[in-house]
PDB file of all heavy atoms in Angstrom:
ATOM      1  N   LEU Q 925       1.201  -3.474   6.827  1.00 98.00           N
ATOM      2  CA  LEU Q 925       1.867  -4.314   5.832  1.00 98.00           C
ATOM      3  C   LEU Q 925       3.356  -3.978   5.750  1.00 98.00           C
ATOM      4  O   LEU Q 925       4.202  -4.884   5.658  1.00 98.00           O
ATOM      5  CB  LEU Q 925       1.203  -4.134   4.474  1.00 98.00           C
ATOM      6  CG  LEU Q 925      -0.246  -4.638   4.377  1.00 98.00           C
ATOM      7  CD1 LEU Q 925      -0.846  -4.280   3.024  1.00 98.00           C
ATOM      8  CD2 LEU Q 925      -0.317  -6.153   4.602  1.00 98.00           C
ATOM      9  N   ASN Q 926       3.703  -2.704   5.811  1.00 98.00           N
ATOM     10  CA  ASN Q 926       5.115  -2.335   5.742  1.00 98.00           C
ATOM     11  C   ASN Q 926       5.876  -2.793   6.980  1.00 98.00           C
ATOM     12  O   ASN Q 926       7.067  -3.140   6.884  1.00 98.00           O
ATOM     13  CB  ASN Q 926       5.252  -0.823   5.557  1.00 98.00           C
ATOM     14  CG  ASN Q 926       4.989  -0.398   4.123  1.00 98.00           C
ATOM     15  OD1 ASN Q 926       5.142  -1.187   3.194  1.00 98.00           O
ATOM     16  ND2 ASN Q 926       4.578   0.847   3.935  1.00 98.00           N
ATOM     17  N   PHE Q 927       5.230  -2.798   8.122  1.00 98.00           N
ATOM     18  CA  PHE Q 927       5.884  -3.316   9.329  1.00 98.00           C
ATOM     19  C   PHE Q 927       6.221  -4.795   9.153  1.00 98.00           C
ATOM     20  O   PHE Q 927       7.331  -5.234   9.496  1.00 98.00           O
ATOM     21  CB  PHE Q 927       4.974  -3.119  10.541  1.00 98.00           C
ATOM     22  CG  PHE Q 927       5.576  -3.622  11.824  1.00 98.00           C
ATOM     23  CD1 PHE Q 927       6.468  -2.833  12.541  1.00 98.00           C
ATOM     24  CD2 PHE Q 927       5.252  -4.875  12.327  1.00 98.00           C
ATOM     25  CE1 PHE Q 927       7.031  -3.299  13.723  1.00 98.00           C
ATOM     26  CE2 PHE Q 927       5.805  -5.342  13.503  1.00 98.00           C
ATOM     27  CZ  PHE Q 927       6.707  -4.552  14.208  1.00 98.00           C
ATOM     28  N   LEU Q 928       5.275  -5.556   8.602  1.00 97.00           N
ATOM     29  CA  LEU Q 928       5.536  -6.975   8.340  1.00 97.00           C
ATOM     30  C   LEU Q 928       6.657  -7.149   7.329  1.00 97.00           C
ATOM     31  O   LEU Q 928       7.550  -7.993   7.507  1.00 97.00           O
ATOM     32  CB  LEU Q 928       4.268  -7.653   7.833  1.00 97.00           C
ATOM     33  CG  LEU Q 928       3.181  -7.958   8.866  1.00 97.00           C
ATOM     34  CD1 LEU Q 928       1.926  -8.499   8.185  1.00 97.00           C
ATOM     35  CD2 LEU Q 928       3.693  -8.972   9.894  1.00 97.00           C
ATOM     36  N   ILE Q 929       6.620  -6.374   6.262  1.00 97.00           N
ATOM     37  CA  ILE Q 929       7.644  -6.484   5.219  1.00 97.00           C
ATOM     38  C   ILE Q 929       9.020  -6.138   5.776  1.00 97.00           C
ATOM     39  O   ILE Q 929      10.005  -6.853   5.548  1.00 97.00           O
ATOM     40  CB  ILE Q 929       7.280  -5.579   4.027  1.00 97.00           C
ATOM     41  CG1 ILE Q 929       6.044  -6.124   3.313  1.00 97.00           C
ATOM     42  CG2 ILE Q 929       8.459  -5.448   3.069  1.00 97.00           C
ATOM     43  CD1 ILE Q 929       5.438  -5.172   2.301  1.00 97.00           C
ATOM     44  N   ASP Q 930       9.111  -5.046   6.520  1.00 97.00           N
ATOM     45  CA  ASP Q 930      10.398  -4.591   7.039  1.00 97.00           C
ATOM     46  C   ASP Q 930      10.999  -5.570   8.039  1.00 97.00           C
ATOM     47  O   ASP Q 930      12.224  -5.620   8.201  1.00 97.00           O
ATOM     48  CB  ASP Q 930      10.246  -3.222   7.723  1.00 97.00           C
ATOM     49  CG  ASP Q 930      10.006  -2.098   6.719  1.00 97.00           C
ATOM     50  OD1 ASP Q 930      10.285  -2.302   5.517  1.00 97.00           O
ATOM     51  OD2 ASP Q 930       9.536  -1.025   7.139  1.00 97.00           O
ATOM     52  N   ASN Q 931      10.160  -6.343   8.717  1.00 96.00           N
ATOM     53  CA  ASN Q 931      10.653  -7.189   9.799  1.00 96.00           C
ATOM     54  C   ASN Q 931      10.639  -8.683   9.492  1.00 96.00           C
ATOM     55  O   ASN Q 931      11.111  -9.471  10.314  1.00 96.00           O
ATOM     56  CB  ASN Q 931       9.834  -6.919  11.071  1.00 96.00           C
ATOM     57  CG  ASN Q 931      10.126  -5.563  11.660  1.00 96.00           C
ATOM     58  OD1 ASN Q 931      11.150  -5.361  12.305  1.00 96.00           O
ATOM     59  ND2 ASN Q 931       9.235  -4.602  11.412  1.00 96.00           N
ATOM     60  N   THR Q 932      10.104  -9.060   8.346  1.00 94.00           N
ATOM     61  CA  THR Q 932      10.137 -10.473   7.988  1.00 94.00           C
ATOM     62  C   THR Q 932      10.773 -10.726   6.625  1.00 94.00           C
ATOM     63  O   THR Q 932      11.300 -11.811   6.390  1.00 94.00           O
ATOM     64  CB  THR Q 932       8.724 -11.088   7.979  1.00 94.00           C
ATOM     65  OG1 THR Q 932       7.897 -10.375   7.048  1.00 94.00           O
ATOM     66  CG2 THR Q 932       8.092 -11.017   9.359  1.00 94.00           C
ATOM     67  N   ALA Q 933      10.728  -9.756   5.735  1.00 92.00           N
ATOM     68  CA  ALA Q 933      11.306  -9.953   4.400  1.00 92.00           C
ATOM     69  C   ALA Q 933      11.876  -8.657   3.852  1.00 92.00           C
ATOM     70  O   ALA Q 933      11.529  -8.229   2.750  1.00 92.00           O
ATOM     71  CB  ALA Q 933      10.251 -10.516   3.460  1.00 92.00           C
ATOM     72  N   PRO Q 934      12.759  -7.987   4.619  1.00 91.00           N
ATOM     73  CA  PRO Q 934      13.302  -6.709   4.134  1.00 91.00           C
ATOM     74  C   PRO Q 934      14.113  -6.903   2.857  1.00 91.00           C
ATOM     75  O   PRO Q 934      14.948  -7.799   2.766  1.00 91.00           O
ATOM     76  CB  PRO Q 934      14.193  -6.252   5.298  1.00 91.00           C
ATOM     77  CG  PRO Q 934      14.532  -7.503   6.038  1.00 91.00           C
ATOM     78  CD  PRO Q 934      13.331  -8.396   5.911  1.00 91.00           C
ATOM     79  N   GLY Q 935      13.832  -6.056   1.872  1.00 90.00           N
ATOM     80  CA  GLY Q 935      14.545  -6.134   0.610  1.00 90.00           C
ATOM     81  C   GLY Q 935      14.044  -7.214  -0.328  1.00 90.00           C
ATOM     82  O   GLY Q 935      14.468  -7.284  -1.480  1.00 90.00           O
ATOM     83  N   LYS Q 936      13.123  -8.046   0.144  1.00 91.00           N
ATOM     84  CA  LYS Q 936      12.608  -9.144  -0.680  1.00 91.00           C
ATOM     85  C   LYS Q 936      11.194  -8.885  -1.181  1.00 91.00           C
ATOM     86  O   LYS Q 936      10.770  -9.476  -2.163  1.00 91.00           O
ATOM     87  CB  LYS Q 936      12.641 -10.449   0.105  1.00 91.00           C
ATOM     88  CG  LYS Q 936      14.034 -10.860   0.554  1.00 91.00           C
ATOM     89  CD  LYS Q 936      13.987 -12.136   1.394  1.00 91.00           C
ATOM     90  CE  LYS Q 936      15.384 -12.505   1.888  1.00 91.00           C
ATOM     91  NZ  LYS Q 936      15.358 -13.719   2.740  1.00 91.00           N
ATOM     92  N   VAL Q 937      10.457  -8.042  -0.465  1.00 93.00           N
ATOM     93  CA  VAL Q 937       9.077  -7.717  -0.829  1.00 93.00           C
ATOM     94  C   VAL Q 937       8.972  -6.200  -0.949  1.00 93.00           C
ATOM     95  O   VAL Q 937       9.456  -5.470  -0.070  1.00 93.00           O
ATOM     96  CB  VAL Q 937       8.080  -8.244   0.220  1.00 93.00           C
ATOM     97  CG1 VAL Q 937       6.651  -7.856  -0.161  1.00 93.00           C
ATOM     98  CG2 VAL Q 937       8.207  -9.765   0.373  1.00 93.00           C
ATOM     99  N   ALA Q 938       8.352  -5.739  -2.024  1.00 94.00           N
ATOM    100  CA  ALA Q 938       8.220  -4.297  -2.235  1.00 94.00           C
ATOM    101  C   ALA Q 938       7.317  -3.673  -1.182  1.00 94.00           C
ATOM    102  O   ALA Q 938       6.240  -4.206  -0.888  1.00 94.00           O
ATOM    103  CB  ALA Q 938       7.652  -4.020  -3.629  1.00 94.00           C
ATOM    104  N   PRO Q 939       7.721  -2.558  -0.580  1.00 97.00           N
ATOM    105  CA  PRO Q 939       6.863  -1.901   0.417  1.00 97.00           C
ATOM    106  C   PRO Q 939       5.621  -1.293  -0.226  1.00 97.00           C
ATOM    107  O   PRO Q 939       5.587  -1.020  -1.427  1.00 97.00           O
ATOM    108  CB  PRO Q 939       7.767  -0.814   1.009  1.00 97.00           C
ATOM    109  CG  PRO Q 939       8.759  -0.531  -0.083  1.00 97.00           C
ATOM    110  CD  PRO Q 939       8.992  -1.839  -0.779  1.00 97.00           C
ATOM    111  N   VAL Q 940       4.606  -1.087   0.595  1.00 97.00           N
ATOM    112  CA  VAL Q 940       3.351  -0.485   0.143  1.00 97.00           C
ATOM    113  C   VAL Q 940       3.505   1.031   0.166  1.00 97.00           C
ATOM    114  O   VAL Q 940       4.062   1.595   1.110  1.00 97.00           O
ATOM    115  CB  VAL Q 940       2.186  -0.927   1.041  1.00 97.00           C
ATOM    116  CG1 VAL Q 940       0.869  -0.306   0.571  1.00 97.00           C
ATOM    117  CG2 VAL Q 940       2.071  -2.448   1.056  1.00 97.00           C
ATOM    118  N   THR Q 941       3.014   1.688  -0.861  1.00 96.00           N
ATOM    119  CA  THR Q 941       3.201   3.140  -0.984  1.00 96.00           C
ATOM    120  C   THR Q 941       1.889   3.922  -0.987  1.00 96.00           C
ATOM    121  O   THR Q 941       1.862   5.088  -1.356  1.00 96.00           O
ATOM    122  CB  THR Q 941       3.969   3.464  -2.284  1.00 96.00           C
ATOM    123  OG1 THR Q 941       3.219   2.971  -3.405  1.00 96.00           O
ATOM    124  CG2 THR Q 941       5.347   2.830  -2.275  1.00 96.00           C
ATOM    125  N   LEU Q 942       0.795   3.284  -0.560  1.00 96.00           N
ATOM    126  CA  LEU Q 942      -0.517   3.936  -0.614  1.00 96.00           C
ATOM    127  C   LEU Q 942      -0.754   4.768   0.646  1.00 96.00           C
ATOM    128  O   LEU Q 942      -1.207   4.251   1.671  1.00 96.00           O
ATOM    129  CB  LEU Q 942      -1.616   2.882  -0.775  1.00 96.00           C
ATOM    130  CG  LEU Q 942      -1.546   2.036  -2.051  1.00 96.00           C
ATOM    131  CD1 LEU Q 942      -2.676   1.023  -2.075  1.00 96.00           C
ATOM    132  CD2 LEU Q 942      -1.600   2.925  -3.283  1.00 96.00           C
ATOM    133  N   TYR Q 943      -0.461   6.055   0.554  1.00 97.00           N
ATOM    134  CA  TYR Q 943      -0.665   6.980   1.661  1.00 97.00           C
ATOM    135  C   TYR Q 943      -1.313   8.277   1.140  1.00 97.00           C
ATOM    136  O   TYR Q 943      -0.711   9.355   1.235  1.00 97.00           O
ATOM    137  CB  TYR Q 943       0.653   7.308   2.361  1.00 97.00           C
ATOM    138  CG  TYR Q 943       1.267   6.168   3.128  1.00 97.00           C
ATOM    139  CD1 TYR Q 943       2.134   5.270   2.503  1.00 97.00           C
ATOM    140  CD2 TYR Q 943       1.005   5.985   4.483  1.00 97.00           C
ATOM    141  CE1 TYR Q 943       2.714   4.229   3.205  1.00 97.00           C
ATOM    142  CE2 TYR Q 943       1.584   4.954   5.199  1.00 97.00           C
ATOM    143  CZ  TYR Q 943       2.441   4.069   4.558  1.00 97.00           C
ATOM    144  OH  TYR Q 943       3.014   3.029   5.251  1.00 97.00           O
ATOM    145  N   PRO Q 944      -2.503   8.218   0.580  1.00 97.00           N
ATOM    146  CA  PRO Q 944      -3.129   9.445   0.088  1.00 97.00           C
ATOM    147  C   PRO Q 944      -3.388  10.424   1.230  1.00 97.00           C
ATOM    148  O   PRO Q 944      -3.815  10.027   2.317  1.00 97.00           O
ATOM    149  CB  PRO Q 944      -4.432   8.950  -0.542  1.00 97.00           C
ATOM    150  CG  PRO Q 944      -4.728   7.663   0.169  1.00 97.00           C
ATOM    151  CD  PRO Q 944      -3.393   7.042   0.446  1.00 97.00           C
ATOM    152  N   ARG Q 945      -3.128  11.697   0.981  1.00 97.00           N
ATOM    153  CA  ARG Q 945      -3.339  12.728   2.004  1.00 97.00           C
ATOM    154  C   ARG Q 945      -4.568  13.577   1.727  1.00 97.00           C
ATOM    155  O   ARG Q 945      -4.982  14.356   2.571  1.00 97.00           O
ATOM    156  CB  ARG Q 945      -2.110  13.629   2.116  1.00 97.00           C
ATOM    157  CG  ARG Q 945      -0.866  12.902   2.612  1.00 97.00           C
ATOM    158  CD  ARG Q 945       0.292  13.846   2.853  1.00 97.00           C
ATOM    159  NE  ARG Q 945       0.678  14.539   1.625  1.00 97.00           N
ATOM    160  CZ  ARG Q 945       0.524  15.843   1.430  1.00 97.00           C
ATOM    161  NH1 ARG Q 945      -0.036  16.592   2.363  1.00 97.00           N
ATOM    162  NH2 ARG Q 945       0.906  16.398   0.302  1.00 97.00           N
ATOM    163  N   ARG Q 946      -5.139  13.439   0.536  1.00 96.00           N
ATOM    164  CA  ARG Q 946      -6.361  14.168   0.177  1.00 96.00           C
ATOM    165  C   ARG Q 946      -7.222  13.267  -0.689  1.00 96.00           C
ATOM    166  O   ARG Q 946      -6.753  12.284  -1.271  1.00 96.00           O
ATOM    167  CB  ARG Q 946      -6.016  15.478  -0.539  1.00 96.00           C
ATOM    168  CG  ARG Q 946      -5.154  15.298  -1.758  1.00 96.00           C
ATOM    169  CD  ARG Q 946      -4.790  16.647  -2.376  1.00 96.00           C
ATOM    170  NE  ARG Q 946      -3.919  17.406  -1.496  1.00 96.00           N
ATOM    171  CZ  ARG Q 946      -2.603  17.301  -1.505  1.00 96.00           C
ATOM    172  NH1 ARG Q 946      -2.009  16.458  -2.342  1.00 96.00           N
ATOM    173  NH2 ARG Q 946      -1.870  18.015  -0.694  1.00 96.00           N
ATOM    174  N   ILE Q 947      -8.510  13.590  -0.761  1.00 96.00           N
ATOM    175  CA  ILE Q 947      -9.462  12.746  -1.478  1.00 96.00           C
ATOM    176  C   ILE Q 947      -9.068  12.578  -2.940  1.00 96.00           C
ATOM    177  O   ILE Q 947      -9.152  11.481  -3.503  1.00 96.00           O
ATOM    178  CB  ILE Q 947     -10.884  13.328  -1.362  1.00 96.00           C
ATOM    179  CG1 ILE Q 947     -11.363  13.278   0.101  1.00 96.00           C
ATOM    180  CG2 ILE Q 947     -11.856  12.565  -2.255  1.00 96.00           C
ATOM    181  CD1 ILE Q 947     -11.451  11.887   0.687  1.00 96.00           C
ATOM    182  N   ALA Q 948      -8.602  13.652  -3.578  1.00 95.00           N
ATOM    183  CA  ALA Q 948      -8.255  13.575  -4.994  1.00 95.00           C
ATOM    184  C   ALA Q 948      -7.170  12.550  -5.265  1.00 95.00           C
ATOM    185  O   ALA Q 948      -7.142  11.928  -6.338  1.00 95.00           O
ATOM    186  CB  ALA Q 948      -7.824  14.951  -5.500  1.00 95.00           C
ATOM    187  N   GLU Q 949      -6.285  12.329  -4.309  1.00 96.00           N
ATOM    188  CA  GLU Q 949      -5.207  11.369  -4.500  1.00 96.00           C
ATOM    189  C   GLU Q 949      -5.706   9.926  -4.528  1.00 96.00           C
ATOM    190  O   GLU Q 949      -4.976   9.028  -4.951  1.00 96.00           O
ATOM    191  CB  GLU Q 949      -4.145  11.544  -3.414  1.00 96.00           C
ATOM    192  CG  GLU Q 949      -3.388  12.858  -3.525  1.00 96.00           C
ATOM    193  CD  GLU Q 949      -2.366  13.049  -2.423  1.00 96.00           C
ATOM    194  OE1 GLU Q 949      -2.187  12.119  -1.596  1.00 96.00           O
ATOM    195  OE2 GLU Q 949      -1.739  14.125  -2.367  1.00 96.00           O
ATOM    196  N   MET Q 950      -6.936   9.703  -4.095  1.00 95.00           N
ATOM    197  CA  MET Q 950      -7.479   8.350  -4.138  1.00 95.00           C
ATOM    198  C   MET Q 950      -7.860   7.924  -5.553  1.00 95.00           C
ATOM    199  O   MET Q 950      -8.222   6.774  -5.769  1.00 95.00           O
ATOM    200  CB  MET Q 950      -8.690   8.216  -3.206  1.00 95.00           C
ATOM    201  CG  MET Q 950      -8.355   8.319  -1.741  1.00 95.00           C
ATOM    202  SD  MET Q 950      -9.617   7.621  -0.664  1.00 95.00           S
ATOM    203  CE  MET Q 950     -11.073   8.501  -1.212  1.00 95.00           C
ATOM    204  N   ARG Q 951      -7.791   8.827  -6.509  1.00 92.00           N
ATOM    205  CA  ARG Q 951      -8.009   8.414  -7.897  1.00 92.00           C
ATOM    206  C   ARG Q 951      -6.900   7.481  -8.352  1.00 92.00           C
ATOM    207  O   ARG Q 951      -7.127   6.586  -9.164  1.00 92.00           O
ATOM    208  CB  ARG Q 951      -8.072   9.642  -8.810  1.00 92.00           C
ATOM    209  CG  ARG Q 951      -9.287  10.516  -8.568  1.00 92.00           C
ATOM    210  CD  ARG Q 951      -9.241  11.758  -9.441  1.00 92.00           C
ATOM    211  NE  ARG Q 951     -10.354  12.658  -9.143  1.00 92.00           N
ATOM    212  CZ  ARG Q 951     -10.489  13.876  -9.655  1.00 92.00           C
ATOM    213  NH1 ARG Q 951      -9.560  14.328 -10.497  1.00 92.00           N
ATOM    214  NH2 ARG Q 951     -11.516  14.634  -9.331  1.00 92.00           N
ATOM    215  N   GLU Q 952      -5.689   7.708  -7.825  1.00 90.00           N
ATOM    216  CA  GLU Q 952      -4.562   6.829  -8.148  1.00 90.00           C
ATOM    217  C   GLU Q 952      -4.367   5.784  -7.047  1.00 90.00           C
ATOM    218  O   GLU Q 952      -4.226   4.600  -7.340  1.00 90.00           O
ATOM    219  CB  GLU Q 952      -3.283   7.659  -8.334  1.00 90.00           C
ATOM    220  CG  GLU Q 952      -3.383   8.691  -9.458  1.00 90.00           C
ATOM    221  CD  GLU Q 952      -3.638   8.049 -10.806  1.00 90.00           C
ATOM    222  OE1 GLU Q 952      -3.165   6.918 -11.036  1.00 90.00           O
ATOM    223  OE2 GLU Q 952      -4.312   8.683 -11.647  1.00 90.00           O
ATOM    224  N   ALA Q 953      -4.327   6.246  -5.793  1.00 84.00           N
ATOM    225  CA  ALA Q 953      -4.248   5.317  -4.657  1.00 84.00           C
ATOM    226  C   ALA Q 953      -5.660   4.812  -4.366  1.00 84.00           C
ATOM    227  O   ALA Q 953      -6.279   5.152  -3.373  1.00 84.00           O
ATOM    228  CB  ALA Q 953      -3.657   6.033  -3.438  1.00 84.00           C
ATOM    229  N   SER Q 954      -6.158   3.981  -5.257  1.00 92.00           N
ATOM    230  CA  SER Q 954      -7.578   3.613  -5.251  1.00 92.00           C
ATOM    231  C   SER Q 954      -7.876   2.489  -4.272  1.00 92.00           C
ATOM    232  O   SER Q 954      -6.980   1.800  -3.777  1.00 92.00           O
ATOM    233  CB  SER Q 954      -8.011   3.194  -6.659  1.00 92.00           C
ATOM    234  OG  SER Q 954      -7.358   1.991  -7.021  1.00 92.00           O
ATOM    235  N   PHE Q 955      -9.167   2.281  -4.029  1.00 92.00           N
ATOM    236  CA  PHE Q 955      -9.587   1.163  -3.190  1.00 92.00           C
ATOM    237  C   PHE Q 955      -9.217  -0.169  -3.834  1.00 92.00           C
ATOM    238  O   PHE Q 955      -8.886  -1.136  -3.140  1.00 92.00           O
ATOM    239  CB  PHE Q 955     -11.095   1.223  -2.934  1.00 92.00           C
ATOM    240  CG  PHE Q 955     -11.486   2.254  -1.922  1.00 92.00           C
ATOM    241  CD1 PHE Q 955     -11.962   3.495  -2.316  1.00 92.00           C
ATOM    242  CD2 PHE Q 955     -11.381   1.993  -0.566  1.00 92.00           C
ATOM    243  CE1 PHE Q 955     -12.324   4.451  -1.381  1.00 92.00           C
ATOM    244  CE2 PHE Q 955     -11.740   2.936   0.379  1.00 92.00           C
ATOM    245  CZ  PHE Q 955     -12.212   4.179  -0.027  1.00 92.00           C
ATOM    246  N   VAL Q 956      -9.270  -0.243  -5.152  1.00 94.00           N
ATOM    247  CA  VAL Q 956      -8.885  -1.470  -5.848  1.00 94.00           C
ATOM    248  C   VAL Q 956      -7.408  -1.758  -5.624  1.00 94.00           C
ATOM    249  O   VAL Q 956      -7.014  -2.882  -5.284  1.00 94.00           O
ATOM    250  CB  VAL Q 956      -9.197  -1.360  -7.355  1.00 94.00           C
ATOM    251  CG1 VAL Q 956      -8.684  -2.594  -8.099  1.00 94.00           C
ATOM    252  CG2 VAL Q 956     -10.699  -1.193  -7.582  1.00 94.00           C
ATOM    253  N   GLU Q 957      -6.564  -0.739  -5.783  1.00 95.00           N
ATOM    254  CA  GLU Q 957      -5.135  -0.927  -5.561  1.00 95.00           C
ATOM    255  C   GLU Q 957      -4.850  -1.204  -4.087  1.00 95.00           C
ATOM    256  O   GLU Q 957      -3.911  -1.947  -3.757  1.00 95.00           O
ATOM    257  CB  GLU Q 957      -4.373   0.314  -6.021  1.00 95.00           C
ATOM    258  CG  GLU Q 957      -2.865   0.245  -5.832  1.00 95.00           C
ATOM    259  CD  GLU Q 957      -2.230  -0.975  -6.493  1.00 95.00           C
ATOM    260  OE1 GLU Q 957      -2.779  -1.482  -7.500  1.00 95.00           O
ATOM    261  OE2 GLU Q 957      -1.175  -1.424  -5.986  1.00 95.00           O
ATOM    262  N   HIS Q 958      -5.641  -0.631  -3.208  1.00 96.00           N
ATOM    263  CA  HIS Q 958      -5.535  -0.891  -1.773  1.00 96.00           C
ATOM    264  C   HIS Q 958      -5.699  -2.383  -1.502  1.00 96.00           C
ATOM    265  O   HIS Q 958      -4.910  -2.994  -0.761  1.00 96.00           O
ATOM    266  CB  HIS Q 958      -6.613  -0.071  -1.052  1.00 96.00           C
ATOM    267  CG  HIS Q 958      -6.722  -0.321   0.413  1.00 96.00           C
ATOM    268  ND1 HIS Q 958      -5.787   0.103   1.325  1.00 96.00           N
ATOM    269  CD2 HIS Q 958      -7.690  -0.942   1.133  1.00 96.00           C
ATOM    270  CE1 HIS Q 958      -6.162  -0.235   2.541  1.00 96.00           C
ATOM    271  NE2 HIS Q 958      -7.310  -0.879   2.462  1.00 96.00           N
ATOM    272  N   ASP Q 959      -6.702  -3.002  -2.106  1.00 96.00           N
ATOM    273  CA  ASP Q 959      -6.919  -4.440  -1.949  1.00 96.00           C
ATOM    274  C   ASP Q 959      -5.791  -5.241  -2.589  1.00 96.00           C
ATOM    275  O   ASP Q 959      -5.291  -6.212  -2.000  1.00 96.00           O
ATOM    276  CB  ASP Q 959      -8.253  -4.847  -2.575  1.00 96.00           C
ATOM    277  CG  ASP Q 959      -9.455  -4.310  -1.823  1.00 96.00           C
ATOM    278  OD1 ASP Q 959      -9.321  -4.036  -0.614  1.00 96.00           O
ATOM    279  OD2 ASP Q 959     -10.525  -4.152  -2.448  1.00 96.00           O
ATOM    280  N   GLN Q 960      -5.394  -4.851  -3.788  1.00 96.00           N
ATOM    281  CA  GLN Q 960      -4.361  -5.602  -4.494  1.00 96.00           C
ATOM    282  C   GLN Q 960      -3.023  -5.547  -3.756  1.00 96.00           C
ATOM    283  O   GLN Q 960      -2.263  -6.524  -3.759  1.00 96.00           O
ATOM    284  CB  GLN Q 960      -4.211  -5.070  -5.923  1.00 96.00           C
ATOM    285  CG  GLN Q 960      -5.428  -5.291  -6.802  1.00 96.00           C
ATOM    286  CD  GLN Q 960      -5.823  -6.749  -6.897  1.00 96.00           C
ATOM    287  OE1 GLN Q 960      -4.983  -7.619  -7.118  1.00 96.00           O
ATOM    288  NE2 GLN Q 960      -7.115  -7.021  -6.736  1.00 96.00           N
ATOM    289  N   ALA Q 961      -2.703  -4.412  -3.142  1.00 97.00           N
ATOM    290  CA  ALA Q 961      -1.464  -4.305  -2.363  1.00 97.00           C
ATOM    291  C   ALA Q 961      -1.483  -5.281  -1.191  1.00 97.00           C
ATOM    292  O   ALA Q 961      -0.455  -5.903  -0.863  1.00 97.00           O
ATOM    293  CB  ALA Q 961      -1.287  -2.870  -1.866  1.00 97.00           C
ATOM    294  N   LEU Q 962      -2.633  -5.417  -0.556  1.00 97.00           N
ATOM    295  CA  LEU Q 962      -2.773  -6.385   0.534  1.00 97.00           C
ATOM    296  C   LEU Q 962      -2.519  -7.798   0.028  1.00 97.00           C
ATOM    297  O   LEU Q 962      -1.744  -8.556   0.626  1.00 97.00           O
ATOM    298  CB  LEU Q 962      -4.174  -6.269   1.132  1.00 97.00           C
ATOM    299  CG  LEU Q 962      -4.605  -7.392   2.089  1.00 97.00           C
ATOM    300  CD1 LEU Q 962      -3.725  -7.403   3.331  1.00 97.00           C
ATOM    301  CD2 LEU Q 962      -6.074  -7.235   2.459  1.00 97.00           C
ATOM    302  N   PHE Q 963      -3.165  -8.165  -1.065  1.00 97.00           N
ATOM    303  CA  PHE Q 963      -3.034  -9.527  -1.575  1.00 97.00           C
ATOM    304  C   PHE Q 963      -1.602  -9.815  -2.013  1.00 97.00           C
ATOM    305  O   PHE Q 963      -1.061 -10.895  -1.744  1.00 97.00           O
ATOM    306  CB  PHE Q 963      -3.998  -9.753  -2.735  1.00 97.00           C
ATOM    307  CG  PHE Q 963      -5.445  -9.494  -2.399  1.00 97.00           C
ATOM    308  CD1 PHE Q 963      -6.338  -9.041  -3.365  1.00 97.00           C
ATOM    309  CD2 PHE Q 963      -5.921  -9.686  -1.111  1.00 97.00           C
ATOM    310  CE1 PHE Q 963      -7.655  -8.808  -3.061  1.00 97.00           C
ATOM    311  CE2 PHE Q 963      -7.247  -9.441  -0.785  1.00 97.00           C
ATOM    312  CZ  PHE Q 963      -8.119  -8.999  -1.770  1.00 97.00           C
ATOM    313  N   ARG Q 964      -0.975  -8.856  -2.700  1.00 96.00           N
ATOM    314  CA  ARG Q 964       0.406  -9.051  -3.148  1.00 96.00           C
ATOM    315  C   ARG Q 964       1.346  -9.225  -1.961  1.00 96.00           C
ATOM    316  O   ARG Q 964       2.246 -10.079  -1.983  1.00 96.00           O
ATOM    317  CB  ARG Q 964       0.868  -7.859  -3.999  1.00 96.00           C
ATOM    318  CG  ARG Q 964       0.275  -7.802  -5.395  1.00 96.00           C
ATOM    319  CD  ARG Q 964       1.063  -6.828  -6.273  1.00 96.00           C
ATOM    320  NE  ARG Q 964       1.067  -5.475  -5.728  1.00 96.00           N
ATOM    321  CZ  ARG Q 964       0.205  -4.531  -6.052  1.00 96.00           C
ATOM    322  NH1 ARG Q 964      -0.779  -4.786  -6.901  1.00 96.00           N
ATOM    323  NH2 ARG Q 964       0.298  -3.334  -5.531  1.00 96.00           N
ATOM    324  N   SER Q 965       1.143  -8.430  -0.922  1.00 96.00           N
ATOM    325  CA  SER Q 965       2.031  -8.492   0.239  1.00 96.00           C
ATOM    326  C   SER Q 965       1.897  -9.824   0.965  1.00 96.00           C
ATOM    327  O   SER Q 965       2.906 -10.457   1.312  1.00 96.00           O
ATOM    328  CB  SER Q 965       1.728  -7.333   1.199  1.00 96.00           C
ATOM    329  OG  SER Q 965       1.949  -6.081   0.578  1.00 96.00           O
TER     330      SER Q 965
END
C-alpha cells in the first residue's frame, strides 16, 4: 500500500504505519485496523 501511495499520490494519501514487530504490538496494530487501512488507502 505504501508503494502505491508513494508512487501515485505522494503527499495526498496518508501512509500506512502498521508494522508490528512482536505479537503484543498487534493489540494496537490490530487485524481490524489492518483491514481498515487497506480500505482507506
Side-chain angles (χ1 to χ4, degrees):
L925 294 174
N926 282 336
F927 180 83
L928 284 174
I929 291 169
D930 288 342
N931 290 283
T932 59
K936 300 177 182 178
V937 178
V940 180
T941 59
L942 299 179
Y943 291 88
R945 295 186 299 113
R946 56 183 67 88
I947 294 299
E949 292 178 4
M950 292 200 306
R951 293 176 184 173
E952 300 299 328
S954 67
F955 284 99
V956 175
E957 180 55 28
H958 175 72
D959 291 335
Q960 294 303 313
L962 168 64
F963 303 150
R964 286 195 301 267
S965 298

